[in-house]
């Protein structure tokens, strides 16, 4: 399964539609880093509203992606974590400390703009 | 109503119960009269006794005698236990204390005892058996009565807990996309879960970007409660909302430091007004330390 990566101005947008296999996560990571470099993106939005489960592996993957993108000069926002997923993650102590969060795609784009705004 | 399982009795116990009843029945009316006279002097029971019509009481005694005979003599406990259960429930609901029941027992024992003593002068063996039978009977009765009483009290407590839970976790919208959640009362694991779920649902349904959680009304915050509240904040953050906690009293602040509770990742402001202002600021101008990447990872 490959996850399509869309370019939107200075940002990249990804929607993770399903639970991904380990290999698919790694492909997504490599692709995102490459595309962010090629398009000189300053922000990446990852929409996870279709994910019904977020385990420690996918959390670590997302957090790792955010951290790596930061090294390339791009900020990451995770959008659309569902209430039940958020609850389970907080119970398990899974944190997404390297990424910003937002309610949905719209808010996510607004949040990215806010975070990448130049003074 | 739960299933009432009749007591399992050895043959000698059945014999002593029957013997007790055969001794008691001829005296039943006299004993009832004596019992009434004593109960009328007791503050717990006098109002109830006075409220009953004599003919109703006579009818009730008659039914009760039939039920008790069936239980003690014929070992048929169904109706007797059902009646006890009903009574126990009734007393629990009307707020009569359990101890008040032992006042009746004491009066009843007094009324029966002097008759047993009279019997003992003629037939010691039978008197012993009758008195054993009476004690066994009263133990059984109080056991079932107590169980029904407790069952009803527990039911009342469950209903109240449910009610408290429902009224005590409102999530209020102050203005567009800003919610406040005043937490009032004790927070245990169960309630923390309920509260967090309610908060997350509200964030989604009302598209909140900011939440002020005010804990002025939480009387005790120990490390467990602190942990629950921190988890609620973290879950809300995962959904993209900024959470500020307010209303930590100086006593609670001291306790938290004394027990070493961390509340990591939770923003705090003194009062509700300050919390709302802080959220406005955070949403308008993200501070440098608002950037999660600058958080030190441990």
């Amino acid at each position: 399964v490959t996850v399509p990566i869309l370019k939107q101005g200075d940002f990249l947008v990804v929607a993770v539609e399903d639970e991904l296999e380990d290999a698919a996560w790694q492909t997504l990571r490599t692709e995102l880093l490459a595309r962010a470099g090629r398009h000189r993106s300053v922000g990446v939005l990852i929409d996870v509203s279709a994910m019904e489960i977020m385990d420690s592996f996918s959390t670590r993957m997302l957090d790792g992606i955010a951290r790596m993108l930061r090294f390339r000069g791009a900020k990451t926002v995770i959008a659309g974590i569902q209430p039940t997923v958020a609850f389970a993650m907080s119970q398990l102590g899974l944190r997404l400390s390297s990424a910003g969060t937002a309610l949905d795609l719209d808010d996510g784009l607004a949040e990215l703009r806010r975070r990448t705004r130049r003074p | 109503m739960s299933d009432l399982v009749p007591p399992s009795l050895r043959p000698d116990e059945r014999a002593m119960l029957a013997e007790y009843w055969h001794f008691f029945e001829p005296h039943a009316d006299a004993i009832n009269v004596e019992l009434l006279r004593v109960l009328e002097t007791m503050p717990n029971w006098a109002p109830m006794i006075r409220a009953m019509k004599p003919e109703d009481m006579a009818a009730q005694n008659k039914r009760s005698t039939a039920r008790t005979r069936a239980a003690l003599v014929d070992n048929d406990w169904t109706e007797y236990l059902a009646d006890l259960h009903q009574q126990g429930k009734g007393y629990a609901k009307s707020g009569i204390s359990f101890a008040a029941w032992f006042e009746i027992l004491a009066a009843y024992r007094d009324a029966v005892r002097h008759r047993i003593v009279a019997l003992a002068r003629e037939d010691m063996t039978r008197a012993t058996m009758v008195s054993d039978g009476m004690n066994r009977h009263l133990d059984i009765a109080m056991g079932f009565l107590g169980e029904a009483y407790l069952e009803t009290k527990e039911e009342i407590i469950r209903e109240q807990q449910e009610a408290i839970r429902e009224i005590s976790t409102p999530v209020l919208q102050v203005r567009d996309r800003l919610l406040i959640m005043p937490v009032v009362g004790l927070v245990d694991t169960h309630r923390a879960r309920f509260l967090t779920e309610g908060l997350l649902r509200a964030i989604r349904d009302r598209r909140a970007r900011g939440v002020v959680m005010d804990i002025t009304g939480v009387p005790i915050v120990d490390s467990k409660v602190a942990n629950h509240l921190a988890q609620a904040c973290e879950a809300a953050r995962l959904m993209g909302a900024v959470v500020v906690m307010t209303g930590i009293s100086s006593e609670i602040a001291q306790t938290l430091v004394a027990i070493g509770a961390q509340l990591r990742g939770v923003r705090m402001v003194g009062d509700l007004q300050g919390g709302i202002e802080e959220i406005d600021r955070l949403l308008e101008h993200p501070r440098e330390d608002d950037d999660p990447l600058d958080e030190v990872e441990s």
Side-chain angles (χ1 to χ4, degrees):
Chain A
V1 191
T2 50
V3 182
I5 299 172
L6 311 173
K7 177 174 170 302
Q8 210 272 324
D10 284 342
F11 303 146
L12 294 180
V13 180
V14 175
V16 181
E17 292 286 352
D18 229 326
E19 316 328 319
L20 294 184
E21 301 280 321
D22 298 6
W25 273 113
Q26 266 142 26
T27 316
L28 176 63
R29 187 171 64 191
T30 319
E31 270 299 294
L32 264 178
L33 284 165
R35 294 280 294 270
R38 200 185 319 148
H39 300 307
R40 306 185 66 236
S41 308
V42 294
V44 174
L45 181 70
I46 305 178
D47 183 281
V48 294
S49 52
M51 290 182 77
E52 278 161 22
I53 296 165
M54 189 86 88
D55 57 14
S56 62
F57 182 77
S58 20
T59 309
R60 221 174 31 246
M61 274 324 235
L62 281 173
D63 208 50
I65 289 174
R67 201 168 283 267
M68 290 169 200
L69 284 165
R70 166 77 173 188
F71 290 140
R72 307 286 310 254
K75 306 220 167 165
T76 306
V77 167
I78 313 287
I81 296 180
Q82 295 300 302
T84 48
V85 176
F87 184 78
M89 287 174 73
S90 72
Q91 295 290 301
L92 296 171
L94 301 178
R95 298 171 72 95
L96 274 171
S97 48
S98 304
T101 47
L103 193 66
D104 54 20
L105 207 59
D106 279 338
D107 272 18
L109 284 171
E111 179 71 16
L112 263 188
R113 270 182 219 113
R114 203 175 62 111
R115 278 175 189 264
T116 54
R117 196 159 48 197
R118 307 263 146 66
Chain B
M1 189 169 80
S2 60
D3 287 338
L4 297 170
V5 183
S8 61
L9 297 168
R10 297 191 308 268
D12 62 313
E13 286 177 312
R14 283 188 57 181
M16 70 173 76
L17 287 173
E19 189 62 41
Y20 162 67
W21 184 256
H22 291 312
F23 168 78
F24 172 85
E25 198 165 8
H27 299 290
D29 290 336
I31 289 176
N32 274 333
V33 171
E34 258 176 66
L35 198 55
L36 264 187
R37 209 173 306 131
V38 182
L39 290 184
E40 270 167 357
T41 66
M42 293 178 171
N44 275 324
W45 297 102
M48 196 182 290
I49 305 275
R50 256 182 251 124
M52 273 181 99
K53 287 195 212 120
E55 57 264 34
D56 288 347
M57 209 178 297
Q60 194 190 332
N61 281 338
K62 206 173 152 203
R63 281 197 301 276
S64 155
T65 304
R67 278 194 294 265
T68 317
R69 187 194 301 115
L72 300 187
V73 181
D74 309 324
N75 201 28
D76 172 11
W77 293 83
T78 324
E79 276 194 43
Y80 181 72
L81 294 184
D83 176 62
L84 271 184
H85 194 87
Q86 211 52 43
Q87 283 193 57
K89 272 172 77 169
Y91 292 125
K93 282 193 174 137
S94 61
I96 284 185
S97 79
F98 194 56
W101 255 90
F102 288 88
E103 293 176 356
I104 293 197
L105 273 195
Y108 179 85
R109 280 205 165 95
D110 278 346
V112 181
R113 186 185 301 111
H114 68 87
R115 292 178 166 84
I116 297 181
V117 170
L119 171 68
R121 290 199 197 95
E122 297 157 20
D123 187 344
M124 192 61 200
T125 322
R126 184 166 181 233
T128 311
M129 199 165 171
V130 166
S131 118
D132 285 350
M134 172 176 79
N135 286 331
R136 190 77 185 94
H137 171 218
L138 294 180
D139 286 347
I140 293 171
M142 287 312 283
F144 276 91
L145 196 72
E147 218 145 83
Y149 189 89
L150 282 180
E151 208 174 88
T152 309
K153 286 285 187 204
E154 279 169 6
E155 209 171 282
I156 293 173
I157 291 172
R158 263 197 307 277
E159 280 166 13
Q160 286 173 342
Q161 276 180 338
E162 207 56 46
I164 289 168
R165 222 167 268 145
E166 283 193 9
I167 57 169
S168 65
T169 45
V171 181
L172 313 168
Q173 184 153 0
V174 187
R175 59 166 171 268
D176 193 34
R177 313 198 67 181
L178 174 57
L179 305 177
I180 56 174
M181 182 163 79
V183 185
V184 177
L186 292 172
V187 179
D188 58 14
T189 308
H190 191 87
R191 189 159 171 233
R193 187 192 175 93
F194 197 79
L195 189 140
T196 309
E197 284 171 347
L199 173 65
L200 298 182
R201 259 199 317 275
I203 289 175
R204 187 194 51 193
D205 295 348
R206 306 196 210 171
R207 302 183 44 75
R209 289 183 66 206
V211 179
V212 184
M213 188 191 284
D214 185 83
I215 62 165
T216 313
V218 180
I220 299 167
V221 179
D222 56 16
S223 57
K224 231 172 163 181
V225 176
N227 198 25
H228 288 318
L229 295 174
Q231 279 180 348
C233 292
E234 174 61 17
R237 194 196 77 83
L238 285 172
M239 290 188 61
V242 175
V243 186
V244 170
M245 193 181 283
T246 63
I248 293 186
S249 65
S250 52
E251 287 85 4
I252 287 179
Q254 288 175 45
T255 320
L256 287 176
V257 172
I259 60 178
Q262 294 287 335
L263 280 172
R264 274 232 313 261
V266 183
R267 277 193 195 82
M268 317 229 191
V269 179
D271 59 12
L272 187 58
Q273 183 185 349
I276 294 172
E277 287 162 6
E278 171 77 0
I279 283 200
D280 280 345
R281 232 148 29 85
L282 286 173
L283 293 179
E284 207 49 50
H285 316 283
R287 292 186 315 216
E288 259 318 294
D289 65 346
D290 183 36
D291 193 326
L293 275 182
D294 295 330
E295 271 182 22
V296 184
E297 280 283 294
S298 51

